[in-house]
Amino acid sequence: MADVSQSPFPVSVKVVAGVIHNVHADVAVLGFSNCVVAIVTQLASVGSIIQAVGTSSAASNQDALYDAQSTVEQLASSADIPVEVKFVLGNSSTTAASSLYQVLATHIYQHRREQDPLDDRPLIIGIGLELPREYKISLLDDDAGQPDLGAFMLTMSAIAALVDECYAQ
């Protein structure tokens, strides 16, 4: 299903190709010392770049003191890791597509933190997806239709599986 290539220096690069809903998809994950960059595209380009950064729930509770081990255990057992997501480049309007891109960035960040709770580097993700018409997702602000979130969840799971292949290498 996928091709994986890797380059250890100066930056860890892992590339996977697969097919999602009969459309070729490329995923590249680059591991820098200060962030992780993921490129997810079915269009051979990206349309939006989003930053996902973990926020500390401990920071909101001044009285709570956590040692490193309990924080790791808490993050490892929690599927709902708080994440701040913002568009760096691209359409950050309130369209269904931009909202779903934010959900995808959050999902990938949380999943990566679940796999490695000590890796709190921000995620920079470039996304360029071909959104099938049956998803009913418009790139226009004035679209009154409701997107098919269930269909997008299948796409998100397939993308997450490709990203996982990159992390596994």
Side-chain angles (χ1 to χ4, degrees):
M1 172 180 170
D3 301 316
V4 178
S5 60
Q6 184 174 14
S7 169
F9 185 81
V11 175
S12 169
V13 178
K14 299 163 186 172
V15 178
V16 176
V19 176
I20 299 173
H21 302 297
N22 298 319
V23 179
H24 177 82
D26 292 307
V27 175
V29 176
L30 297 84
F32 293 89
S33 62
N34 63 344
C35 70
V36 174
V37 176
I39 305 296
V40 178
T41 183
Q42 292 178 306
L43 306 172
S45 64
V46 296
S48 298
I49 298 177
I50 301 171
Q51 179 182 25
V53 179
T55 59
S56 173
S57 58
S60 63
N61 186 356
Q62 298 294 332
D63 299 329
L65 297 175
Y66 298 102
D67 63 271
Q69 184 60 34
S70 66
T71 301
V72 168
E73 290 171 2
Q74 180 184 15
L75 287 173
S77 64
S78 173
D80 190 22
I81 299 166
V83 180
E84 179 183 330
V85 178
K86 67 179 180 179
F87 276 80
V88 177
L89 292 171
N91 186 3
S92 63
S93 64
T94 57
T95 65
S98 64
S99 297
L100 292 175
Y101 280 5
Q102 290 175 340
V103 169
L104 178 63
T106 300
H107 178 76
I108 290 173
Y109 181 86
Q110 288 177 336
H111 190 72
R112 183 174 59 88
R113 285 295 300 271
E114 288 171 11
Q115 299 300 315
D116 186 358
L118 295 176
D119 186 359
D120 62 352
R121 294 175 292 173
L123 171 69
I124 308 295
I125 182 168
I127 305 173
L129 298 178
E130 185 174 306
L131 300 173
R133 288 180 184 247
E134 59 266 18
Y135 285 16
K136 300 176 187 167
I137 298 171
S138 174
L139 298 176
L140 305 174
D141 286 328
D142 61 355
D143 181 33
Q146 293 296 317
D148 183 351
L149 298 179
F152 186 75
M153 294 302 289
L154 295 174
T155 298
M156 191 166 66
S157 296
I159 291 168
L162 289 176
V163 172
D164 281 348
E165 283 188 53
C166 285
Y167 287 134
Q169 299 299 317

